């Protein structure tokens, strides 16, 4: 599946613009991580772009979220490693994260929302106004971006990355697509 086909598929199943932007952000971060680890950027990008394809149809039912998406992606013929990474990004199922791809997608999912929250509280409301020290400071505030699991973001250690390194790569990736994110 090409990136253009994946984006069209995503928009067919996810209508909420903010969810689409979350998926675009996850794609950018996953591509950046793939580059860092010498992995297939297109493959990792697809995992990020399509990881929440089932979100609107499974909203309110965490027991189905990611399982339904994985089934859909398998039926579309995506590689098994992408299908599995999508399946295990939802910790509800308790499935083991085995590959670098699995671990990267799991840690990336909440990071994108955390970084967006950082941009939105700045007067400029732009990603360019955010830096890693600002994010690291906000990370300690439990009330900030409450929905972004700190534990899940800290799982970047499974990748051999410090939280600071992980945030820096995520922020760089998202700043690179800031116009698409409206930030």
């Amino acid at each position: 599946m090409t990136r253009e086909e994946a984006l069209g598929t995503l928009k067919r199943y996810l209508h909420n613009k903010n969810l689409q932007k979350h998926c675009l952000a996850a794609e950018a971060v996953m591509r950046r991580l793939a580059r860092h680890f010498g992995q297939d950027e297109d493959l990792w990008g697809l995992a990020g772009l399509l990881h929440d394809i089932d979100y609107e149809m499974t909203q309110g039912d965490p027991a189905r979220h990611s399982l339904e998406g994985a089934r859909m992606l398998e039926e579309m013929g995506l590689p098994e490693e992408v299908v599995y990474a999508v399946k295990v990004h939802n910790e509800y199922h308790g499935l083991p994260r085995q590959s670098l791809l699995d671990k990267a997608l799991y840690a990336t999912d909440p990071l994108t929302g955390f970084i967006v929250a950082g941009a939105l509280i700045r007067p400029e409301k732009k990603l360019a106004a955010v830096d890693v020290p600002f994010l690291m400071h906000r990370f300690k505030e439990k009330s900030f971006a409450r929905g972004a699991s700190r534990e899940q973001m800290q799982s970047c250690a499974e990748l051999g990355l410090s939280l600071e390194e992980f945030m820096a790569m995520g922020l760089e990736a998202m700043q690179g697509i800031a116009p698409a994110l409206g930030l």
Side-chain angles (χ1 to χ4, degrees):
M1 179 180 284
T2 67
R3 196 244 179 215
E4 291 72 30
E5 292 168 334
L7 186 57
T9 300
L10 179 75
K11 289 179 178 181
R12 199 164 45 250
Y13 290 99
L14 273 188
H15 303 106
N16 180 294
K17 296 292 183 202
N18 287 333
L19 284 172
Q20 289 175 8
K21 289 177 185 179
H22 163 65
C23 290
L24 290 172
E27 174 193 26
V29 174
M30 290 296 291
R31 284 180 169 279
R32 176 63 182 90
L33 290 170
R35 194 164 44 257
H36 175 79
F37 290 112
Q39 299 294 313
D40 184 331
E41 289 184 45
D42 292 333
L43 188 77
W44 282 43
L46 282 176
L49 185 61
L50 297 173
H51 80 284
D52 274 347
I53 193 166
D54 69 351
Y55 194 84
E56 287 180 356
M57 67 179 72
T58 63
Q59 200 167 2
D61 189 358
R64 285 183 50 228
H65 175 54
S66 80
L67 295 178
E68 187 67 25
R71 181 194 60 74
M72 293 165 66
L73 297 179
E74 186 173 39
E75 288 175 2
M76 292 175 201
L78 269 83
E80 176 54 36
E81 57 198 307
V82 171
V83 171
Y84 189 76
V86 167
K87 187 184 298 184
V88 302
H89 93 273
N90 180 358
E91 68 181 4
Y92 184 89
H93 308 301
L95 297 169
R97 295 179 299 280
Q98 299 168 343
S99 69
L100 273 178
L101 176 59
D102 301 344
K103 294 169 186 176
L105 184 58
Y106 179 75
T108 294
D109 193 22
L111 179 68
T112 62
F114 186 83
I115 292 172
V116 166
L120 292 177
I121 66 164
R122 303 291 303 184
E124 306 89 337
K125 306 231 183 292
K126 298 287 182 195
L127 287 167
V130 177
D131 61 18
V132 174
F134 174 79
L135 292 174
M136 292 298 291
H137 175 75
R138 291 293 178 170
F139 189 82
K140 297 171 190 161
E141 295 177 23
K142 299 291 183 224
S143 62
F144 177 77
R146 188 174 318 214
S149 167
R150 305 312 198 255
E151 183 179 306
Q152 198 169 335
M153 285 186 275
Q154 287 175 315
S155 74
C156 65
E158 295 175 9
L159 298 166
L161 296 174
S162 70
L163 184 60
E164 194 166 359
E165 291 170 319
F166 181 57
M167 282 192 182
M169 282 189 257
L171 180 59
E172 173 194 321
M174 290 174 63
Q175 285 173 334
I177 63 159
L181 300 176
L183 297 171

